Amino acid sequence: MPATVVVGTQWGDEGKGKFTDLLAKDMSMVVRYQGGHNAGHTLVVDGEKFALQLIPSGVLYPYIVPVIGNGVVVDPFVLLAEMKMLQRRGVDTSNLKVSGNAHLIMPYHQQLDALHERHLGKAKLGTTKRGIGPAYSDKSMRLGIRVQDMLDEDIFAEKLHTVLSHTNKVLTKVFNRLPVDPDKLAEKVLSECLDGIKPLITDTVNLIHDSLEAGQHVLFEGAQATFLDLDHGTYPFVTSSNPTAGGACPGAGIGPRHIDRILGISKAYVTRVGAGPFPTELFDLDGDRMVDIGAEYGTNTGRRRRPGWVDAVMLRHAVRINSLSEMAITKLDVLDTFETVKICVAYEIDGQRVEKLPYHQSDLHRATPIYEELPGWQQDLTAATQASDLPPNAVTYLRILEEQIGIPITLVSTGPGRQQFLNWN
Ligand code: IMP
């Protein structure tokens, strides 16, 4: 029962969609296990660009069952809009399944997300304002509403009454906003979404296990990334779920023994959106070049991503906490024009060389990167499809990065297209 997890090893936007899509060729099922439509997966298929937020990348293959697992938070309006967008472009979405246990994002979650951010002022997190945090908070407070609740009109309205008796107090008394009418909201959600969502609702846990027991390959697709993980990321500048590989267990209903391959994805440099510490961040022309050449603007929000050199200290930590078996490097071609390229191999903190990610976050804020600087390859890599196509300086860069992170690099992406990658090692 082969199961693979794909996980981002930085702060997101590593290009997971590309490799998820590539691996999907051999898969029967692709499962999202956390996050919501804060994610943005861009895939380029036959020159056509697809930007997915909620639906697993595997949807582009007709023989794959795309599954939205119980750990995901689902905005039903967004889900239906994304399905319609795909259908308009000729993609069949009839195989899509959604866990009845996944929690719903309601409009008041998005309102609260924006209000919390405004309230935090300078201390704001830079969330995507998609309602992710408030929806997961309600889930933890046992005030959440699940997808399956939509199946019973009375239960749905009753649950909205319960949660809104609390949330309306917050909206009106804390934020001075109008209360939400639970009956009107229930009517709107059910009238606009139920017909479209009902056929998708599935017992995804048994579906996944039946597939694994039949020996089929299942891919678990992490959204966001290791350092946005609620427990292991740069808290509080994180998302509200567990994108790390272990999150696939509660988020999809499998045990750790089911997972036999864990592929980490790292860019050849790093970006981050939103606030939070970032030791190798660049504020110079090199950073601007990364952003320009790499088109580093949010798929969802259009925000400019903060750029920096690749950080092997963080990647070594990501290897540990995800049990990564291998790494894929994306966007190597973005560095094609650089005269020199850098890998952060350690930090200097208060005059000391530190090779492990500091446990105390204040140390991370003060960490200065220690770089290994290498000559660039200054050659266009976008046509490279095998390791032997790479110039010696690119090979050296990958070998040193591999040595630094301590696990094999197996795949290297050299452009956005489906064919622009090579097997390494
Ligand atoms: P939230 O997930 O919308 O609550 O945002 C929390 C933090 O995670 C913010 O810094 C976001 O910019 C970041 N974030 C959430 N989703 C993504 C993603 O898909 N890529 C990169 N950053 C993300």
Side-chain angles (χ1 to χ4, degrees):
M1 31 185 186
T4 300
V5 180
V6 173
V7 61
T9 58
Q10 298 166 321
W11 282 292
D13 309 310
E14 294 90 351
K16 295 177 289 288
K18 157 109 179 237
F19 283 113
T20 307
D21 176 61
L22 192 78
L23 296 176
K25 282 203 298 263
D26 306 317
M27 303 287 161
S28 303
M29 192 176 273
V30 176
V31 183
R32 279 267 318 255
Y33 57 86
Q34 46 68 234
H37 64 297
N38 48 347
H41 288 172
T42 308
L43 302 167
V44 181
V45 181
D46 299 332
E48 224 189 315
K49 204 165 160 180
F50 290 88
L52 300 172
Q53 301 184 334
L54 194 52
I55 298 179
S57 324
V59 71
L60 299 178
Y61 290 92
Y63 53 85
I64 284 182
V65 179
V67 176
I68 295 179
N70 56 276
V72 176
V73 281
V74 177
D75 181 321
F77 297 99
V78 170
L79 177 57
L80 292 176
E82 197 164 307
M83 284 171 71
K84 274 203 193 104
M85 177 275 290
L86 288 167
Q87 287 157 7
R88 264 201 313 275
R89 297 176 67 181
V91 178
D92 179 13
T93 59
S94 59
N95 276 339
L96 179 64
K97 313 285 179 209
V98 177
S99 167
N101 286 350
H103 280 243
L104 289 172
I105 297 181
M106 290 282 100
Y108 52 83
H109 290 129
Q110 305 197 354
Q111 195 186 357
L112 285 171
D113 201 348
L115 288 167
H116 283 144
E117 280 286 270
R118 195 177 316 161
H119 177 75
L120 285 171
K122 270 201 197 140
K124 74 175 180 184
L125 306 174
T127 75
T128 59
K129 300 195 182 130
R130 300 290 201 262
I132 308 296
Y136 278 116
S137 300
D138 275 359
K139 177 177 176 178
S140 301
M141 295 227 301
R142 277 64 54 86
L143 285 173
I145 300 184
R146 294 188 291 176
V147 169
Q148 60 172 296
D149 296 328
M150 292 172 74
L151 296 173
D152 185 318
E153 213 176 295
D154 294 335
I155 287 188
F156 191 68
E158 193 184 309
K159 291 204 170 189
L160 274 177
H161 271 271
T162 307
V163 61
L164 284 169
S165 71
H166 166 270
T167 301
N168 275 337
K169 286 195 189 91
V170 178
L171 283 173
T172 56
K173 295 189 194 309
V174 178
F175 293 115
N176 202 20
R177 290 296 185 280
L178 293 172
V180 176
D181 181 323
D183 294 317
K184 277 197 189 140
L185 181 58
E187 210 276 317
K188 180 177 167 62
V189 174
L190 295 182
S191 64
E192 292 181 28
C193 304
L194 184 57
D195 286 351
I197 303 276
K198 196 172 177 176
L200 315 177
I201 304 177
T202 307
D203 170 3
T204 54
V205 170
N206 279 312
L207 184 80
I208 293 166
H209 281 274
D210 289 346
S211 184
L212 289 169
E213 277 164 29
Q216 294 171 345
H217 289 234
V218 179
L219 182 67
F220 296 89
E221 179 181 26
Q224 291 83 48
T226 302
F227 292 98
L228 289 174
D229 186 282
L230 183 59
D231 288 86
H232 297 287
T234 45
Y235 191 90
F237 305 104
V238 293
T239 193
S240 299
S241 63
N242 291 114
T244 41
C249 295
I254 53 163
R257 284 196 299 138
H258 282 108
I259 303 170
D260 41 25
R261 181 182 181 198
I262 306 178
L263 174 67
I265 314 282
S266 164
K267 272 200 276 228
Y269 51 100
V270 198
T271 59
R272 134 162 246 177
V273 265
F278 183 172
T280 63
E281 182 166 13
L282 291 171
F283 300 94
D284 59 7
L285 289 175
D286 279 347
D288 290 344
R289 262 160 96 188
M290 286 172 188
V291 171
D292 290 346
I293 301 171
E296 295 295 352
Y297 295 90
T299 318
N300 271 342
T301 57
R303 287 183 291 179
R304 182 187 192 270
R305 297 176 183 144
R306 300 157 58 193
W309 292 112
V310 73
D311 185 339
V313 180
M314 299 189 71
L315 293 180
R316 287 194 290 269
H317 195 70
V319 169
R320 286 193 156 175
I321 59 178
N322 291 295
S323 301
L324 297 183
S325 43
E326 61 200 276
M327 188 76 88
I329 302 297
T330 59
K331 292 193 148 182
L332 187 64
D333 54 298
V334 172
L335 302 184
D336 283 355
T337 58
F338 284 71
E339 297 75 33
T340 61
V341 288
K342 294 183 189 176
I343 299 172
C344 168
V345 294
Y347 301 143
E348 188 184 311
I349 303 173
D350 300 334
Q352 302 286 318
R353 184 183 170 100
V354 174
E355 298 203 341
K356 287 200 178 110
L357 193 75
Y359 160 68
H360 197 300
Q361 202 158 302
S362 305
D363 291 342
L364 190 64
H365 282 273
R366 286 181 294 120
T368 316
I370 298 175
Y371 288 116
E372 177 138 0
E373 186 164 1
L374 303 162
W377 43 94
Q378 296 191 275
Q379 194 175 314
D380 180 3
L381 297 187
T382 53
T385 52
Q386 40 196 341
S388 56
D389 295 335
L390 293 180
N393 287 355
V395 171
T396 305
Y397 171 83
L398 289 171
R399 286 276 169 243
I400 290 179
L401 187 57
E402 194 169 43
E403 230 172 76
Q404 282 294 325
I405 60 182
I407 56 164
I409 292 172
T410 53
L411 292 159
V412 178
S413 161
T414 52
R418 238 182 195 172
Q419 314 304 333
Q420 289 175 296
F421 77 96
L422 53 92
N423 289 301
W424 177 260
N425 278 311

